[in-house]
Amino acid sequence: MSRMQPIGAEGAAPHSAPGPGRVVLVGSGPGDPDLLTVKALKLLQTADVVLYDMLVAKPILDLINPAAVRIFVGKKGYGDTRPQDGINAQLIAQARLGRLTVRLKSGDPLIFGRAGEEIEACRAAGVPVEVVPGITSAQGAAARLTASLTHRMEARRLQYITGHDATGGLPESLDWRAIADPQATTVVYMPRRTIGELVRRALGAGLAAATPAIVAINATRPDERFAVSTLGDLARAVAATETPDPTLVLIGQALAHARLPEPVA
Amino acid sequence: MSRMQPIGAEGAAPHSAPGPGRVVLVGSGPGDPDLLTVKALKLLQTADVVLYDMLVAKPILDLINPAAVRIFVGKKGYGDTRPQDGINAQLIAQARLGRLTVRLKSGDPLIFGRAGEEIEACRAAGVPVEVVPGITSAQGAAARLTASLTHRMEARRLQYITGHDATGGLPESLDWRAIADPQATTVVYMPRRTIGELVRRALGAGLAAATPAIVAINATRPDERFAVSTLGDLARAVAATETPDPTLVLIGQALAHARLPEPVA
């Protein structure tokens, strides 16, 4: 829309470093615009360029500086991603034009956000790169469920895993004994395609079928949905929620304390 | 200071639910006020009452509604905590006065914040309770180090543990094999007192002594400090940083990509 709009002197952002441009990887959080950090909001409002993908919520895109160039870099999730090399090249090219270049990512860029590759590309190119953390989906869902992820005496360890890696399958060499620890809370990002195998492996490693589990879809967004389940029934519960939207699965005894929230105001 | 100040009609917050008061557990993030969420900032600015402890950064306390009653509820960390029951009782009593009662906690209330006890006390009392998530220390430190916590092909799992439980020692029955997984990133909250034993147990479970590790103190605050280390040298590295300030240890191959930041502006 504003992609071809020239950047005038008034586009220079107060947050731009003096001199050369820079890249800032900014976490947009789980979807509720009020869960942006103040720093993220300031950067969106002053960016010269914003690169974003399908996972960033629309109300957050609406907060971007109207004078900024917006560059859509493709759907992220199950394949269908514009090659990462192309994104890296665009970040570097924009920053080299002296622009405050924001790479907006859902959740936290440093938690299953593939930020490592963008950071290393910027470093290799000599382009300054910073990160602004974001509330990750696990935190957004837990807050809506008012459920501590480290409930005293029940969850001594909190772990995040992804339901698929770059190949689309479960990551190889996941530590199933760690995932089956009854004293941990486990959050699975993007579990939809692999939940059946994940449940089989967790059961096989000894985690009880009755372990509480919750499916969270679009948590913190107006269209959020939750399904209360157990490890044993989780594959069915996920399948029953047919949706292309961001889905998260939370597993562990701590989830027994969750309460389904009132609808988002 | 303003503890005894009466709450007038102008103290009624726009965010207060109509009718009865409520309790909101708010994450203050790792210390940089700009890492508050927008929602947390709005709540601080409109709260009738704020209960806080020593771990919340001073610049964040400065953002609290000047008309709010502030209640200091004691140092949190290594013992020296005002009994949790007393905090619970105060939250409930304040909310029952019809007040928007904010319980401000460092980091995220649902990650090693003992929120579970406060949530359950409110529920038992029939007092509405909500949670606003915060950037947890691990995310703040990782952002300052521009280090992905889930670096592709190197960190398939991210796990948070605490260096001490309510007894002050390492939690019993920690899953040391899970902690020794070379394909995980492990973040230890409050490791100072138990780091020696933690390192021995992790080495004993098979994690290589050369595994990269970083000590992060006050990350995102103007006085932040970092020490680059390895698992084998970590107890010495932590001891060398003698400080009562919030300390975090990050362990795993992904930390090899960390870069020490420029000082906080």
Side-chain angles (χ1 to χ4, degrees), chain B residues 111-179:
Chain B
I111 299 177
F112 302 124
R114 296 188 66 172
E117 293 152 85
E118 295 174 12
I119 290 167
E120 300 208 334
C122 289
R123 285 178 183 163
V127 167
V129 58
E130 296 162 37
V131 176
V132 176
I135 301 295
T136 189
S137 318
Q139 297 172 291
R144 294 293 296 152
L145 295 163
T146 50
S148 173
L149 293 168
T150 58
H151 204 278
R152 206 156 75 102
M153 312 305 285
E154 293 178 7
R156 304 192 178 287
R157 192 163 53 83
L158 169 60
Q159 59 191 346
Y160 301 155
I161 62 173
T162 177
H164 72 90
D165 63 11
T167 70
L170 274 178
E172 279 178 35
S173 66
L174 268 176
D175 183 340
W176 291 102
R177 288 175 58 115
I179 292 161

Coordinates of all heavy atoms in Angstrom, one line a residue, chain B residues 111-179:
Chain B
I111 N 5.8 -16.9 35.9 CA 7.0 -17.6 35.8 C 7.9 -17.3 37.0 O 8.5 -16.3 37.1 CB 7.8 -17.2 34.5 CG1 6.9 -17.6 33.3 CG2 9.1 -17.9 34.4 CD1 7.5 -17.2 31.9
F112 N 7.9 -18.3 37.9 CA 8.6 -18.1 39.2 C 8.2 -16.9 40.0 O 9.1 -16.3 40.6 CB 10.1 -18.2 39.0 CG 10.6 -19.5 38.3 CD1 11.3 -19.5 37.2 CD2 10.2 -20.7 38.9 CE1 11.7 -20.6 36.5 CE2 10.6 -21.9 38.2 CZ 11.3 -21.9 37.1
G113 N 6.9 -16.5 39.9 CA 6.5 -15.3 40.6 C 5.5 -15.6 41.7 O 5.0 -14.7 42.3
R114 N 5.4 -16.9 42.0 CA 4.4 -17.3 43.1 C 3.1 -16.8 42.9 O 2.3 -16.5 43.9 CB 5.0 -17.0 44.5 CG 6.3 -17.7 44.8 CD 6.8 -17.5 46.1 NE 5.9 -18.1 47.2 CZ 6.2 -18.2 48.4 NH1 7.4 -17.8 48.9 NH2 5.4 -18.7 49.3
A115 N 2.7 -16.5 41.7 CA 1.3 -16.0 41.4 C 0.3 -17.0 41.8 O -0.9 -16.6 42.1 CB 1.2 -15.6 40.0
G116 N 0.6 -18.3 41.7 CA -0.4 -19.3 41.9 C -1.1 -19.2 43.2 O -2.3 -19.3 43.3
E117 N -0.3 -18.8 44.3 CA -0.9 -18.7 45.6 C -1.8 -17.5 45.7 O -2.9 -17.6 46.3 CB 0.2 -18.6 46.6 CG 1.0 -19.9 46.7 CD 2.5 -19.6 47.1 OE1 2.7 -19.6 48.3 OE2 3.3 -19.5 46.2
E118 N -1.5 -16.4 45.1 CA -2.3 -15.2 45.1 C -3.6 -15.4 44.3 O -4.7 -15.0 44.7 CB -1.5 -14.0 44.7 CG -0.3 -13.7 45.6 CD 0.7 -12.6 45.2 OE1 0.4 -11.9 44.3 OE2 1.7 -12.5 45.9
I119 N -3.4 -16.1 43.2 CA -4.6 -16.3 42.4 C -5.6 -17.2 43.1 O -6.8 -16.9 43.2 CB -4.2 -17.0 41.0 CG1 -3.4 -16.0 40.2 CG2 -5.4 -17.6 40.3 CD1 -2.7 -16.7 39.0
E120 N -5.1 -18.3 43.8 CA -6.0 -19.2 44.4 C -6.7 -18.5 45.6 O -7.8 -18.8 45.9 CB -5.3 -20.4 44.8 CG -4.7 -21.1 43.6 CD -4.6 -22.6 43.6 OE1 -4.4 -23.1 44.7 OE2 -4.6 -23.2 42.6
A121 N -5.9 -17.7 46.3 CA -6.5 -17.0 47.5 C -7.6 -16.1 47.0 O -8.7 -16.0 47.6 CB -5.4 -16.2 48.2
C122 N -7.4 -15.3 45.9 CA -8.5 -14.5 45.4 C -9.7 -15.3 45.0 O -10.8 -14.9 45.3 CB -8.0 -13.6 44.2 SG -6.8 -12.4 44.7
R123 N -9.4 -16.4 44.3 CA -10.6 -17.2 43.8 C -11.4 -17.7 45.0 O -12.6 -17.7 45.0 CB -10.1 -18.4 43.0 CG -9.6 -18.0 41.6 CD -9.1 -19.3 41.0 NE -8.5 -19.1 39.6 CZ -7.7 -19.9 39.0 NH1 -7.4 -21.1 39.6 NH2 -7.3 -19.7 37.8
A124 N -10.6 -18.1 46.0 CA -11.3 -18.7 47.2 C -12.2 -17.6 47.9 O -13.2 -17.9 48.5 CB -10.3 -19.3 48.2
A125 N -11.7 -16.4 47.8 CA -12.4 -15.3 48.4 C -13.5 -14.7 47.5 O -14.2 -13.8 47.9 CB -11.4 -14.2 48.8
G126 N -13.6 -15.2 46.3 CA -14.6 -14.7 45.4 C -14.2 -13.3 44.8 O -15.1 -12.6 44.3
V127 N -12.9 -13.0 44.8 CA -12.5 -11.7 44.3 C -12.0 -11.9 42.9 O -11.2 -12.8 42.6 CB -11.3 -11.1 45.2 CG1 -10.6 -10.0 44.5 CG2 -11.9 -10.7 46.5
P128 N -12.5 -11.1 41.9 CA -12.0 -11.3 40.5 C -10.5 -11.0 40.4 O -10.0 -10.1 41.0 CB -12.8 -10.2 39.7 CG -13.9 -9.8 40.6 CD -13.5 -10.1 42.0
V129 N -9.8 -11.9 39.7 CA -8.4 -11.8 39.6 C -8.0 -12.0 38.1 O -8.5 -12.9 37.5 CB -7.6 -12.8 40.6 CG1 -8.0 -14.2 40.3 CG2 -6.1 -12.6 40.5
E130 N -7.1 -11.1 37.7 CA -6.6 -11.2 36.3 C -5.1 -11.2 36.3 O -4.5 -10.8 37.3 CB -7.1 -10.0 35.5 CG -8.6 -9.9 35.3 CD -9.0 -8.5 34.8 OE1 -8.2 -7.9 34.1 OE2 -10.0 -8.1 35.3
V131 N -4.5 -11.5 35.2 CA -3.0 -11.5 35.1 C -2.6 -10.7 33.8 O -3.2 -10.9 32.8 CB -2.4 -12.9 35.0 CG1 -0.9 -12.8 34.8 CG2 -2.7 -13.7 36.3
V132 N -1.7 -9.8 34.0 CA -1.0 -9.2 32.8 C 0.4 -9.7 32.7 O 1.2 -9.5 33.6 CB -1.1 -7.6 32.9 CG1 -0.3 -7.0 31.8 CG2 -2.5 -7.1 33.0
P133 N 0.7 -10.4 31.6 CA 2.1 -11.0 31.6 C 3.2 -9.9 31.4 O 2.9 -8.8 31.1 CB 2.0 -11.8 30.3 CG 1.0 -11.2 29.5 CD 0.0 -10.6 30.4
G134 N 4.4 -10.3 31.7 CA 5.5 -9.4 31.6 C 6.7 -10.1 30.9 O 6.7 -11.4 30.9
I135 N 7.6 -9.3 30.4 CA 8.8 -9.9 29.8 C 9.6 -10.5 31.0 O 9.9 -9.8 31.9 CB 9.6 -8.8 29.1 CG1 8.8 -8.1 28.0 CG2 11.0 -9.4 28.6 CD1 8.5 -9.0 26.8
T136 N 9.9 -11.8 30.9 CA 10.6 -12.4 32.0 C 12.1 -12.2 31.8 O 12.6 -11.9 30.7 CB 10.2 -13.9 32.1 OG1 10.8 -14.5 33.3 CG2 10.7 -14.7 30.9
S137 N 12.9 -12.3 32.9 CA 14.3 -12.0 32.8 C 15.1 -12.7 31.7 O 16.0 -12.1 31.1 CB 15.0 -12.3 34.2 OG 14.2 -12.0 35.2
A138 N 14.7 -13.9 31.5 CA 15.4 -14.6 30.4 C 15.3 -13.9 29.1 O 16.3 -13.8 28.3 CB 14.8 -16.1 30.3
Q139 N 14.1 -13.4 28.8 CA 13.9 -12.7 27.5 C 14.6 -11.4 27.5 O 15.2 -11.0 26.5 CB 12.4 -12.5 27.4 CG 11.6 -13.7 27.2 CD 10.1 -13.5 27.3 OE1 9.5 -13.1 28.3 NE2 9.4 -13.7 26.1
G140 N 14.6 -10.7 28.6 CA 15.4 -9.4 28.7 C 16.9 -9.6 28.5 O 17.5 -8.9 27.7
A141 N 17.4 -10.6 29.1 CA 18.8 -10.9 29.0 C 19.2 -11.3 27.5 O 20.1 -10.9 26.9 CB 19.3 -12.0 30.0
A142 N 18.4 -12.2 27.0 CA 18.6 -12.7 25.6 C 18.6 -11.6 24.6 O 19.4 -11.5 23.7 CB 17.6 -13.8 25.3
A143 N 17.6 -10.7 24.8 CA 17.5 -9.5 23.9 C 18.7 -8.7 24.0 O 19.3 -8.3 22.9 CB 16.2 -8.7 24.2
R144 N 19.2 -8.4 25.2 CA 20.4 -7.6 25.3 C 21.6 -8.3 24.7 O 22.6 -7.6 24.2 CB 20.7 -7.3 26.8 CG 19.6 -6.4 27.4 CD 19.6 -5.0 26.8 NE 20.8 -4.3 27.1 CZ 21.3 -3.3 26.3 NH1 20.7 -2.9 25.2 NH2 22.5 -2.8 26.6
L145 N 21.6 -9.6 24.7 CA 22.7 -10.4 24.2 C 22.5 -10.7 22.7 O 23.4 -11.4 22.1 CB 22.9 -11.7 25.0 CG 23.3 -11.5 26.4 CD1 23.0 -12.8 27.2 CD2 24.8 -11.1 26.6
T146 N 21.4 -10.2 22.1 CA 21.0 -10.6 20.7 C 21.3 -12.1 20.5 O 21.9 -12.5 19.4 CB 21.6 -9.7 19.6 OG1 23.0 -9.6 19.8 CG2 21.0 -8.3 19.6
A147 N 20.8 -12.9 21.4 CA 21.0 -14.4 21.2 C 19.7 -15.1 21.2 O 19.0 -15.0 22.2 CB 21.9 -14.9 22.4
S148 N 19.4 -15.8 20.1 CA 18.2 -16.6 20.1 C 18.3 -17.7 21.2 O 19.3 -18.4 21.3 CB 18.0 -17.2 18.7 OG 16.9 -18.1 18.7
L149 N 17.2 -17.9 21.9 CA 17.2 -18.9 22.9 C 16.8 -20.3 22.3 O 16.9 -21.3 22.9 CB 16.1 -18.6 24.0 CG 16.5 -17.3 24.8 CD1 15.3 -16.8 25.7 CD2 17.7 -17.6 25.7
T150 N 16.4 -20.2 21.0 CA 16.0 -21.5 20.3 C 16.8 -21.5 19.0 O 16.1 -21.7 17.9 CB 14.5 -21.5 20.1 OG1 14.1 -20.4 19.3 CG2 13.7 -21.6 21.4
H151 N 18.0 -21.3 19.0 CA 18.8 -21.2 17.8 C 18.7 -22.4 17.0 O 18.8 -23.6 17.5 CB 20.3 -20.9 18.1 CG 21.0 -20.3 17.0 ND1 21.5 -21.0 15.9 CD2 21.3 -19.0 16.8 CE1 22.1 -20.1 15.1 NE2 22.0 -18.9 15.6
R152 N 18.4 -22.3 15.7 CA 18.0 -23.4 14.8 C 19.1 -24.4 14.8 O 20.3 -24.1 14.7 CB 17.8 -22.8 13.4 CG 16.9 -23.7 12.5 CD 16.3 -22.9 11.4 NE 17.3 -22.6 10.4 CZ 17.3 -23.3 9.2 NH1 16.4 -24.2 9.0 NH2 18.2 -22.9 8.3
M153 N 18.8 -25.7 14.9 CA 19.7 -26.8 14.9 C 20.5 -26.9 16.2 O 21.3 -27.9 16.3 CB 20.6 -26.8 13.7 CG 19.9 -26.6 12.3 SD 18.6 -27.7 12.0 CE 19.5 -29.2 11.6
E154 N 20.4 -26.0 17.0 CA 21.3 -26.0 18.2 C 20.5 -26.1 19.5 O 21.0 -26.6 20.5 CB 22.2 -24.8 18.3 CG 23.2 -24.8 17.2 CD 24.1 -23.6 17.2 OE1 24.1 -22.8 18.1 OE2 24.9 -23.5 16.2
A155 N 19.3 -25.5 19.5 CA 18.5 -25.4 20.8 C 17.1 -25.8 20.4 O 16.3 -24.9 20.0 CB 18.6 -24.1 21.4
R156 N 16.7 -27.0 20.6 CA 15.3 -27.4 20.2 C 14.4 -27.2 21.3 O 13.2 -27.4 21.1 CB 15.4 -28.9 19.8 CG 16.4 -29.3 18.8 CD 16.2 -30.7 18.3 NE 17.1 -31.0 17.2 CZ 17.0 -30.6 16.0 NH1 16.0 -29.7 15.6 NH2 17.9 -31.0 15.1
R157 N 14.9 -27.0 22.5 CA 14.0 -26.9 23.7 C 14.6 -25.8 24.5 O 15.8 -25.6 24.7 CB 14.0 -28.2 24.4 CG 13.0 -28.4 25.5 CD 12.8 -29.9 25.9 NE 14.1 -30.5 26.2 CZ 14.7 -30.4 27.4 NH1 14.1 -29.8 28.4 NH2 15.8 -31.0 27.6
L158 N 13.7 -25.0 25.1 CA 14.1 -23.9 26.0 C 13.4 -24.2 27.3 O 12.3 -24.5 27.4 CB 13.5 -22.5 25.5 CG 13.6 -21.3 26.4 CD1 15.0 -21.0 26.8 CD2 12.9 -20.1 25.8
Q159 N 14.3 -24.2 28.4 CA 13.7 -24.5 29.7 C 14.2 -23.5 30.7 O 15.3 -23.0 30.7 CB 14.1 -25.9 30.1 CG 15.5 -26.2 30.2 CD 15.8 -27.7 30.3 OE1 14.9 -28.5 30.6 NE2 17.1 -28.1 30.1
Y160 N 13.3 -23.2 31.7 CA 13.5 -22.3 32.8 C 13.5 -23.1 34.1 O 12.5 -23.8 34.3 CB 12.5 -21.2 32.9 CG 12.3 -20.3 31.7 CD1 11.1 -19.6 31.5 CD2 13.4 -20.0 30.8 CE1 10.9 -18.8 30.4 CE2 13.2 -19.2 29.7 CZ 12.0 -18.5 29.5 OH 11.8 -17.7 28.4
I161 N 14.5 -23.0 34.9 CA 14.4 -23.6 36.2 C 14.8 -22.5 37.3 O 15.3 -21.4 36.9 CB 15.3 -24.8 36.4 CG1 16.8 -24.4 36.2 CG2 15.0 -25.9 35.4 CD1 17.8 -25.5 36.5
T162 N 14.5 -22.8 38.5 CA 14.8 -21.8 39.6 C 16.0 -22.5 40.4 O 16.0 -23.7 40.6 CB 13.7 -21.5 40.5 OG1 14.1 -20.6 41.5 CG2 13.0 -22.7 41.1
G163 N 16.9 -21.6 40.8 CA 18.1 -22.1 41.6 C 17.7 -22.3 43.0 O 18.5 -23.0 43.7
H164 N 16.5 -21.9 43.4 CA 16.1 -22.2 44.8 C 14.6 -22.2 44.9 O 13.9 -21.5 44.2 CB 16.7 -21.3 45.8 CG 16.1 -19.9 45.8 ND1 15.1 -19.6 46.6 CD2 16.5 -18.8 45.1 CE1 14.7 -18.3 46.3 NE2 15.6 -17.8 45.5
D165 N 14.1 -23.0 45.7 CA 12.7 -23.1 46.0 C 12.4 -22.4 47.3 O 13.3 -21.7 47.9 CB 12.1 -24.5 45.9 CG 12.7 -25.4 47.0 OD1 13.4 -24.8 47.9 OD2 12.5 -26.6 46.9
A166 N 11.2 -22.6 47.9 CA 10.8 -22.0 49.1 C 11.8 -22.3 50.3 O 11.9 -21.5 51.2 CB 9.4 -22.3 49.5
T167 N 12.5 -23.4 50.2 CA 13.4 -23.8 51.3 C 14.8 -23.0 51.1 O 15.6 -23.1 52.0 CB 13.8 -25.3 51.3 OG1 14.6 -25.6 50.1 CG2 12.5 -26.1 51.2
G168 N 15.0 -22.4 50.0 CA 16.3 -21.7 49.8 C 17.3 -22.6 49.0 O 18.4 -22.1 48.6
G169 N 17.1 -23.9 48.9 CA 18.0 -24.8 48.2 C 17.5 -25.1 46.8 O 16.4 -24.6 46.4
L170 N 18.2 -25.9 46.1 CA 17.8 -26.4 44.8 C 16.5 -27.1 45.0 O 16.3 -27.9 46.0 CB 18.8 -27.3 44.2 CG 19.9 -26.7 43.4 CD1 20.8 -27.8 42.9 CD2 19.4 -25.8 42.2
P171 N 15.5 -27.0 44.1 CA 14.3 -27.8 44.2 C 14.6 -29.2 44.2 O 15.5 -29.7 43.5 CB 13.5 -27.4 43.0 CG 14.1 -26.1 42.5 CD 15.5 -26.1 42.9
E172 N 13.9 -30.0 45.0 CA 14.1 -31.5 44.9 C 13.6 -32.0 43.6 O 12.7 -31.4 43.0 CB 13.3 -32.1 46.1 CG 14.0 -32.1 47.4 CD 13.1 -32.7 48.5 OE1 12.4 -33.6 48.2 OE2 13.2 -32.2 49.6
S173 N 14.1 -33.1 43.3 CA 13.6 -33.9 42.1 C 13.6 -33.1 40.8 O 12.7 -33.2 40.0 CB 12.2 -34.5 42.4 OG 11.2 -33.5 42.5
L174 N 14.6 -32.2 40.7 CA 14.8 -31.6 39.4 C 15.3 -32.7 38.4 O 16.0 -33.6 38.8 CB 15.9 -30.5 39.4 CG 15.4 -29.1 39.7 CD1 16.6 -28.1 39.8 CD2 14.5 -28.6 38.6
D175 N 14.9 -32.6 37.2 CA 15.2 -33.6 36.2 C 16.6 -33.3 35.6 O 16.7 -32.5 34.6 CB 14.1 -33.6 35.1 CG 14.3 -34.7 34.1 OD1 15.4 -35.2 33.9 OD2 13.3 -35.0 33.4
W176 N 17.6 -33.8 36.1 CA 19.0 -33.4 35.7 C 19.3 -33.9 34.3 O 20.1 -33.2 33.6 CB 20.0 -33.9 36.7 CG 19.8 -33.2 38.0 CD1 19.2 -33.6 39.1 CD2 20.2 -31.8 38.2 NE1 19.2 -32.6 40.1 CE2 19.8 -31.5 39.5 CE3 20.8 -30.8 37.5 CZ2 19.9 -30.2 40.1 CZ3 21.0 -29.6 38.0 CH2 20.6 -29.3 39.3
R177 N 18.7 -35.0 33.9 CA 19.0 -35.4 32.5 C 18.4 -34.4 31.5 O 19.0 -34.1 30.5 CB 18.3 -36.8 32.2 CG 19.1 -37.9 32.9 CD 18.3 -39.2 32.7 NE 18.1 -39.5 31.3 CZ 18.6 -40.5 30.7 NH1 19.4 -41.4 31.3 NH2 18.4 -40.7 29.4
A178 N 17.2 -33.8 31.9 CA 16.6 -32.8 31.0 C 17.5 -31.5 31.0 O 17.7 -30.9 30.0 CB 15.2 -32.4 31.5
I179 N 18.1 -31.2 32.2 CA 18.9 -30.0 32.2 C 20.2 -30.3 31.5 O 20.8 -29.3 31.0 CB 19.1 -29.7 33.7 CG1 17.8 -29.2 34.3 CG2 20.2 -28.6 33.9 CD1 17.7 -29.2 35.8

